[in-house]
Amino acid sequence: MNTLEAFAKLNDDKALAEKIQAAAKTPEDVYEALKGIGLTDDLDTFLAEAAKYSEAYSQLSAEEIESLSGGGTTITTLTTFTTYPISAALAGI
């Protein structure tokens, strides 16, 4: 599964996302955790994709973020397609 598919999987499984969030302190931690659920991209690809999604997300308005997340609590995220809050771990990307 590629990076986007891994993020989508986290978006669909809140318990898994929370588990990874609790364990992930660095981009490399996130990468290793996602490899554990089936990520097949290499680290460089993962980091490049994460940066791309983070940049796209940063350009969204609050209303767009709300519509993407389906409502509820949205925490700053890595990608435009997930509410998984791992941006703190990936802030250095």
Side-chain angles (χ1 to χ4, degrees):
M1 122 183 31
N2 66 30
T3 299
L4 180 57
E5 293 165 335
F7 291 147
K9 185 172 184 173
L10 292 178
N11 197 49
D12 292 339
D13 189 337
K14 183 178 179 180
L16 178 61
E18 289 172 353
K19 179 180 173 183
I20 290 176
Q21 177 188 10
K25 305 298 180 214
T26 68
E28 291 78 10
D29 291 343
V30 174
Y31 173 72
E32 290 300 323
L34 293 180
K35 278 182 32 182
I37 65 166
L39 177 67
T40 56
D41 287 344
D42 61 34
L43 178 60
D44 290 337
T45 301
F46 167 74
L47 293 174
E49 290 296 301
K52 179 175 74 173
Y53 302 136
S54 182
E55 174 63 25
Y57 180 83
S58 71
Q59 297 177 14
L60 295 176
S61 68
E63 293 79 21
E64 290 168 322
I65 293 168
E66 182 72 16
S67 71
L68 288 170
S69 69
T73 302
T74 301
I75 301 171
T76 302
T77 118
L78 172 66
T79 153
T80 60
F81 303 105
T82 179
T83 57
Y84 177 57
I86 59 175
S87 64
L90 296 169
I93 296 178

